[in-house]
Amino acid sequence: MKRGLALFFKQDKWQVKSIIIVFFVLFLIVLVLKESYAYFISSSQSVVQVMATGKVICEMTVDSNPNYVENNIPYFRIKVTNTKDGVVSSVPVRYQLTIQNEEGSNGLFYYIDSEGNTSSSTEEYLSSITSLEYTFDTSEATRDFKVYVKASSGLKETVNVKINLEAIQA
């Protein structure tokens, strides 16, 4: 009887060990599947959040000279470029100019760009003008604007101008 009881306990220990091993393996499988799923989700989210951006460069210089007069109408020049210190914008740039009077000034404006585009097809002078929307690609480029100025009174007077360059990545 002792021998039969001892054999029963040896078999019982083996069954307990087998059950523990099975549960441990199941636990590992569940843990690995959970981690794999979490890794997949994490990878998907990081891919979605990746976006390409670059540095927008759009510089403007204004050249006003008292000798700039054409047909008895004074003008000044605006030069817009996509380079700065020899570096070209790494992304395409879309831009627009707004030319208007500073408070208290009575100027009227009309422009012609270096490609022959004008602010008005009827050559009308306005107190505020917004240019066409222009685009520079990623190769070096410059566009010149010749802005004619008249006083609304028709008399000789000083006109103070406010120029706004709005540029965004195209």
Side-chain angles (χ1 to χ4, degrees), residues 53-116:
T53 60
K55 184 175 180 182
V56 173
I57 299 175
C58 193
E59 294 285 313
M60 172 183 70
T61 56
V62 178
D63 179 15
S64 59
N65 184 325
N67 296 327
Y68 287 166
V69 178
E70 193 173 281
N71 297 326
N72 291 327
I73 303 172
Y75 65 90
F76 62 92
R77 293 183 175 277
I78 300 172
K79 183 163 96 172
V80 181
T81 184
N82 65 345
T83 61
K84 180 176 183 179
D85 300 327
V87 178
V88 179
S89 180
S90 61
V91 295
V93 178
R94 192 170 56 226
Y95 70 93
Q96 208 168 21
L97 287 171
T98 302
I99 304 163
Q100 58 191 13
N101 288 297
E102 284 188 0
E103 193 168 326
S105 277
N106 297 313
L108 299 173
F109 310 102
Y110 172 80
Y111 79 79
I112 299 175
D113 70 15
S114 53
E115 297 164 353

Side-chain angles (χ1 to χ4, degrees), residues 19-163:
I19 291 172
I20 289 174
I21 290 172
V22 167
F23 279 119
F24 182 74
V25 168
L26 287 172
F27 174 75
L28 285 178
I29 289 172
V30 168
L31 183 67
V32 168
L33 287 177
K34 182 178 177 185
E35 289 299 318
S36 296
Y37 179 73
Y39 179 75
F40 176 75
I41 295 299
S42 177
S43 295
S44 294
Q45 288 176 348
S46 65
V47 171
V48 171
Q49 294 172 356
V50 172
M51 64 185 342
T53 60
K55 184 175 180 182
V56 173
I57 299 175
C58 193
E59 294 285 313
M60 172 183 70
T61 56
V62 178
D63 179 15
S64 59
N65 184 325
N67 296 327
Y68 287 166
V69 178
E70 193 173 281
N71 297 326
N72 291 327
I73 303 172
Y75 65 90
F76 62 92
R77 293 183 175 277
I78 300 172
K79 183 163 96 172
V80 181
T81 184
N82 65 345
T83 61
K84 180 176 183 179
D85 300 327
V87 178
V88 179
S89 180
S90 61
V91 295
V93 178
R94 192 170 56 226
Y95 70 93
Q96 208 168 21
L97 287 171
T98 302
I99 304 163
Q100 58 191 13
N101 288 297
E102 284 188 0
E103 193 168 326
S105 277
N106 297 313
L108 299 173
F109 310 102
Y110 172 80
Y111 79 79
I112 299 175
D113 70 15
S114 53
E115 297 164 353
N117 299 310
T118 62
S119 58
S120 167
S121 59
T122 61
E123 297 185 16
E124 180 181 10
Y125 284 73
L126 299 169
S127 61
S128 176
I129 55 175
T130 300
S131 74
L132 300 171
E133 189 173 88
Y134 296 94
T135 303
F136 287 136
D137 59 13
T138 56
S139 57
E140 185 175 349
T142 301
R143 186 168 283 112
D144 291 310
F145 296 84
K146 188 185 280 188
V147 182
Y148 295 93
V149 182
K150 291 182 179 180
S152 60
S153 65
L155 302 173
K156 183 177 179 178
E157 62 181 85
T158 301
V159 174
N160 295 314
V161 179
K162 182 168 43 171
I163 304 167

